[in-house]
Amino acid sequence: MRLTDAPAAEIVAQAARLRWQCRRGMLELDLLLNRFLEVGFADLDEASRADFVRLLGYQDQIIHDWLMGQAVPADAALRRLVAAIRAAMRDDRANP
Amino acid sequence: MPDPLRPIPHRRFDALIIGAGGAGLNAALRLASADLRVAVVSKVFPTRSHTVAAQGGVNAALANVLPDDWHWHMFDTVKGSDYLGDQDAIEYMCREAIPTVYELEHAGVPFSRIDDGRIYQRAFGGQSQNFGGDQAARTCAAADRTGHAILHTLYQQNVRARTHFFDEYFAIDLIRDEEGAILGALVLEIETGETLVIEAKATLLATGGHGQVFRTTTNAFINTGDGMAMALRAGVPLMDMEFYQFHPTGVAGKGMLITEGARGEGGYLINGDGERFMERYAPRALDLASRDVVARSMVTEIREGRGCGPNKDHVMLRLDHLGADVVHRRLPGITDICRVFLGIDPAEQPIPVFPTAHYAMGGIPTDRFARVVAPARHGPEEIVPGLYAAGECACVSVHGANRLGGNSLLDILVFGRAAGTDILQYVAENPNHRPMRDADIEPALTRLGRWDRSGEGESVAAAKADLRKLMEDHCGVFRDDATMAEGVEKLKALRQRVEHVRLKDQSRTFNTARIEALELDNLVDVGMATLMSALHRQESRGAHSRVDYPERDDEQWMKHSLYARDGDRMDYKPVRTKPLTVESFPPKARVY
Ligand SMILES: Cc1cc2nc3c(=O)[nH]c(=O)nc-3n(C[C@H](O)[C@H](O)[C@H](O)COP(=O)(O)OP(=O)(O)OC[C@H]3O[C@@H](n4cnc5c(N)ncnc54)[C@H](O)[C@@H]3O)c2cc1C
């Protein structure tokens, strides 16, 4: 998988660019998205990183409903991503 | 410093609005609809402003569900403010509430409705009929996403009205001429790191709140008090900054609100010894005692070593005795928060909680036309030419010492619009841009340039964490002279330390660290304003409650605080007790 992937430095640069996109109007989203950017983003393959960018393009209220488990995205790739973001928050609790 | 070969570009508009929450967008809409050239600058995409988080709703005496009257709404607001609110502004807001909500309805905000099609209204705490009588129902909501609905509607309308948006631009400082008139602002494009001067005949600060100055807060990361700090640096004092609303139960270490409903359903608090400690502080009301009593009791337990967890830094809220059915069905939002952020089911395990900072009553002093007023030669309320403020960053003051639920969305809409209306007139009377000299821009550039210094030094993140902890420990819900005086000394030391903070990343593009450094400066200034104002107010009123001065003291303290950055000076001005058309509500003891 990594063969077709971007070099690590480029991923770090991409994460830096996305950091501001993870600043949202709701504290819940700030906590979940920033946490994921720190611990989960670098492990994503290129397609999933593109999905993350796509997720960030949705309205706060919609992302909130997905991440809080009040609604489920129709798109399977976003569903997987939402599960990964929620899981990253759980890891945070294990190693604060 | 500016590169002499690449001078900073300038853009000119009739009006500059800094902030794209409800306040900024409502002002912009008024202006753009009148064909003014309006620039709106926002550090995040407009619909990511914090207004999106408001779920409860907006107050207006529509009398759709129960009898109501704007005058009763006014009474409740004055009483809620613990008589520190300005009654002219409060009368104006409560009257304007009604057309404001109808205007939103016409603009397309999908308010929840009753069977006959009129807007549904729910009952909130602090709402009464007949000047303190039966419960009123005054809050209009669009399901549980009122803020989202308002923000999106206003944004769409602004796009249609051709408001010019500068999305993801960070305002650094106001630009002021020698006579003290405001000429616009220096802003930074976050993506490229390029600076831009926006010249305007009138500038409105609508930058929202500053909950991030406290460690535990319900506010999003963007709420760093930037506009308040910009005002301070432009020589404008901040008003009533000691009045900050805390909710007793936030998720410890994270901040999200666990609504009062949890205790209403029978949830109760326990300390590290498993004791139901509210029995000692409020033997009758117990866990449903007033917010400040519950919050202070929690912190007292922790200060005295009876906290929970390895650091004994929180207490626990128990719901597990209520049964899974009640908890999951009646408290679904809390269940979700616990599952996602704590990995627990609140029906099985207790929730770690700590008081969480929620809403700023204080801010940039304005009159009811949203014009910024500051003490000057001829009195305490002289207008700062060309400068306006509205929304949570402003202090009109309609909330006084305490805000009622549903009144802050109202405040941002009413005074955002009032700002727009007054700016129209101001621009008609002052049709030309005032000249701007390079020297006027210099102070803002110097502040930005300070972060270009590289080298070894501590990090922004470390200094920010220390600041937030300091504010929580020394100016949170537990306030007395010794605690706050120590806090001021520590904050002065921290302010010095921040001078030596360095940025490792000196790249220009997408340098979020640079923005966070600028926000840190702002938080320090706003923190000092809060601590100084709180230390000096020797009484308990509304949200400011002191263990060493437990009573309200109208004789000495029915006045507004003003903190000036220059020399950390405190000053005061009288409360406006005269409404516009009705009789004044004189102070009465506050019993609910
Ligand atoms: C969780 C929560 C729930 C709430 N629920 C309710 C409720 O039900 N009812 C109610 O009445 N109130 C509620 N409130 C309070 C209310 O939401 C806020 O007081 C209100 O939305 C503030 O609006 P505003 O327009 O002043 O600022 P915001 O919506 O915070 O907008 C501030 C704007 O300023 C911009 N900005 C800030 N600094 C800069 C800078 N340096 N450069 C450029 N742009 C900048 C931001 O990008 C943003 O666009 C709630 C608050 C919270 C935290």
Side-chain angles (χ1 to χ4, degrees):
Chain A
M1 182 181 80
R2 283 276 181 200
L3 282 179
T4 58
D5 232 354
E10 213 167 281
I11 297 177
V12 170
Q14 192 187 7
R17 278 200 301 278
L18 290 177
R19 206 155 145 210
W20 198 253
Q21 302 304 314
C22 293
R23 285 270 204 127
R24 312 298 289 215
M26 298 174 176
L27 178 66
E28 288 86 340
L29 301 191
D30 282 342
L31 293 171
L32 285 157
L33 295 172
N34 280 283
R35 171 74 190 163
F36 183 72
L37 199 62
E38 274 162 32
V39 303
F41 182 75
D43 294 335
L44 296 179
D45 61 24
E46 203 176 321
S48 306
R49 288 202 303 275
D51 289 332
F52 186 66
V53 174
R54 193 154 59 87
L55 177 86
L56 295 179
Y58 281 87
Q59 294 173 9
D60 281 12
Q61 189 69 55
I62 293 175
I63 307 177
H64 174 269
D65 290 353
W66 288 344
L67 292 180
M68 298 307 290
Q70 292 158 6
V72 177
D75 176 323
L78 291 185
R79 266 203 309 277
R80 276 195 301 278
L81 198 55
V82 162
I85 296 170
R86 285 166 57 109
M89 200 73 217
R90 279 196 288 279
D91 294 346
D92 177 33
R93 292 187 310 265
N95 322 291
Chain B
M1 284 297 101
D3 178 347
L5 298 176
R6 288 184 54 207
I8 301 172
H10 286 231
R11 299 276 306 263
R12 283 183 157 198
F13 291 87
D14 292 318
L16 164 62
I17 293 173
I18 304 175
L25 290 186
N26 214 23
L29 187 58
R30 180 91 180 94
L31 293 166
S33 309
D35 283 337
L36 256 67
R37 274 174 53 75
V38 187
V40 174
V41 171
S42 177
K43 64 179 175 178
V44 295
F45 190 76
T47 51
R48 295 179 192 170
S49 301
H50 200 48
T51 295
V52 80
Q55 302 188 325
V58 50
N59 294 339
L62 305 181
N64 285 356
V65 171
L66 290 172
D68 210 351
D69 191 307
W70 68 262
H71 201 187
W72 303 346
H73 183 186
M74 178 183 172
F75 169 83
D76 292 339
T77 304
V78 172
K79 180 179 169 197
S81 81
D82 224 353
Y83 301 92
L84 197 74
D86 286 340
Q87 298 194 19
D88 55 346
I90 295 176
E91 175 177 343
Y92 177 74
M93 179 178 82
C94 296
R95 281 173 174 274
E96 281 297 305
I98 298 165
T100 298
V101 166
Y102 287 134
E103 193 179 271
L104 287 175
E105 183 185 30
H106 293 149
V109 173
F111 283 111
S112 306
R113 292 173 188 284
I114 45 180
D115 287 344
D116 66 6
R118 287 177 304 152
I119 295 173
Y120 169 73
Q121 298 192 277
R122 44 171 100 124
F124 259 31
Q127 301 177 349
S128 76
Q129 302 182 38
N130 263 313
F131 311 105
D134 291 345
Q135 174 75 43
R138 191 171 291 146
T139 307
C140 313
D144 62 352
R145 47 200 60 191
T146 314
H148 165 87
I150 291 174
L151 198 60
H152 278 261
T153 304
L154 289 176
Y155 179 64
Q156 296 304 340
Q157 289 202 318
N158 269 289
V159 169
R160 234 174 285 141
R162 308 178 82 89
T163 297
H164 192 104
F165 281 98
F166 289 88
D167 296 340
E168 300 185 354
Y169 275 71
F170 186 90
I172 296 167
D173 259 322
L174 296 168
I175 298 171
R176 185 166 71 130
D177 69 13
E178 271 177 324
E179 287 159 32
I182 301 301
L183 312 176
L186 178 72
V187 305
L188 180 90
E189 186 178 15
I190 296 171
E191 182 179 344
T192 62
E194 299 289 337
T195 45
L196 170 70
V197 169
I198 300 184
E199 292 187 42
K201 297 165 192 167
T203 301
L204 169 69
L205 291 168
T207 48
H210 62 275
Q212 285 291 321
V213 80
F214 298 102
R215 190 178 67 122
T216 310
T217 177
T218 61
N219 285 197
F221 292 1
I222 43 179
N223 279 18
T224 51
D226 299 351
M228 296 184 193
M230 280 187 255
L232 277 179
R233 286 190 296 266
V236 175
L238 294 183
M239 173 163 145
D240 293 342
M241 291 297 284
E242 62 273 44
F243 298 102
Y244 201 96
Q245 197 171 67
F246 288 82
H247 264 273
T249 50
V251 175
K254 303 254 190 295
M256 285 81 63
L257 202 64
I258 301 292
T259 57
E260 241 120 34
R263 279 169 290 136
E265 291 292 342
Y268 61 83
L269 297 161
I270 53 169
N271 63 18
D273 304 330
E275 182 203 2
R276 191 171 177 184
F277 59 87
M278 283 311 297
E279 285 172 351
R280 273 188 277 117
Y281 297 92
R284 284 198 300 150
L286 295 171
D287 302 86
L288 290 174
S290 68
R291 277 183 190 172
D292 63 312
V293 171
V294 176
R296 204 152 5 95
S297 308
M298 292 165 66
V299 173
T300 304
E301 289 299 296
I302 294 164
R303 287 169 67 101
E304 292 177 359
R306 292 186 295 278
C308 304
N311 301 323
K312 296 177 176 287
D313 56 1
H314 57 267
V315 297
M316 291 286 190
L317 175 64
R318 284 191 65 172
L319 301 174
D320 53 337
H321 58 294
L322 299 175
D325 188 47
V326 170
V327 174
H328 297 163
R329 209 163 29 84
R330 298 218 197 123
L331 303 167
I334 291 171
T335 304
D336 289 339
I337 285 177
C338 290
R339 283 190 176 139
V340 175
F341 289 99
L342 302 168
I344 62 166
D345 180 347
E348 284 167 13
Q349 277 172 275
I351 312 169
V353 289
F354 191 86
T356 186
H358 189 55
Y359 181 82
M361 272 73 74
I364 305 159
T366 72
D367 62 15
R368 71 187 158 85
F369 306 103
R371 299 181 294 198
V372 172
V373 289
R377 269 157 299 172
H378 307 292
E381 299 203 312
E382 215 163 287
I383 289 163
V384 179
L387 186 61
Y388 291 76
E392 194 170 332
C393 73
C395 185
V396 191
S397 133
V398 285
H399 309 300
N402 211 356
R403 168 196 73 122
L404 296 184
N407 262 1
S408 59
L409 282 181
L410 179 60
D411 167 6
I412 70 177
L413 293 166
V414 167
F415 294 101
R417 191 187 165 82
T421 305
D422 204 85
I423 290 173
L424 276 181
Q425 196 184 331
Y426 182 81
V427 169
E429 288 164 7
N430 300 274
N432 300 313
H433 286 89
R434 285 174 176 250
M436 188 186 282
R437 303 165 312 151
D438 282 349
D440 301 329
I441 313 171
E442 207 56 48
L445 285 171
T446 306
R447 181 165 110 81
L448 182 64
R450 170 249 175 282
W451 290 106
D452 289 341
R453 268 182 274 150
S454 47
E456 285 304 302
E458 72 168 313
S459 74
V460 169
K464 184 173 170 189
D466 286 355
L467 169 69
R468 299 179 65 193
K469 174 90 168 64
L470 186 165
M471 289 300 295
E472 184 162 289
D473 290 347
H474 294 279
C475 205
V477 296
F478 187 96
R479 296 181 175 183
D480 65 14
D481 190 76
T483 308
M484 290 190 289
E486 192 190 336
V488 168
E489 290 315 308
K490 283 187 178 171
L491 185 50
K492 283 185 177 161
L494 187 111
R495 190 161 64 179
Q496 292 273 306
R497 246 175 72 198
V498 168
E499 294 285 313
H500 304 289
V501 171
R502 290 287 182 274
L503 286 181
K504 289 207 181 62
D505 179 2
Q506 290 289 350
S507 62
R508 278 281 174 263
T509 57
F510 281 111
N511 190 341
T512 311
R514 196 149 167 247
I515 302 296
E516 284 168 357
L518 292 163
E519 290 175 338
L520 172 65
D521 279 341
N522 293 334
L523 285 169
V524 168
D525 281 347
V526 167
M528 187 59 91
T530 308
L531 246 171
M532 287 294 289
S533 307
L535 173 67
H536 283 86
R537 182 174 288 272
Q538 296 179 333
E539 65 159 352
S540 290
R541 182 185 297 269
H544 174 69
S545 79
R546 291 188 54 154
V547 277
D548 47 356
Y549 297 96
E551 300 300 324
R552 195 178 78 197
D553 178 357
D554 290 329
E555 198 112 309
Q556 288 206 55
W557 287 103
M558 218 177 99
K559 57 187 179 187
H560 296 297
S561 306
L562 293 169
Y563 161 85
R565 185 171 181 264
D566 179 23
D568 293 323
R569 270 179 303 112
M570 291 306 305
D571 193 359
Y572 296 90
K573 70 176 184 185
V575 174
R576 290 170 165 269
T577 50
K578 242 180 95 55
L580 300 173
T581 65
V582 293
E583 292 282 300
S584 166
F585 291 110
K588 281 206 199 103
R590 192 158 154 254
V591 278
Y592 280 103

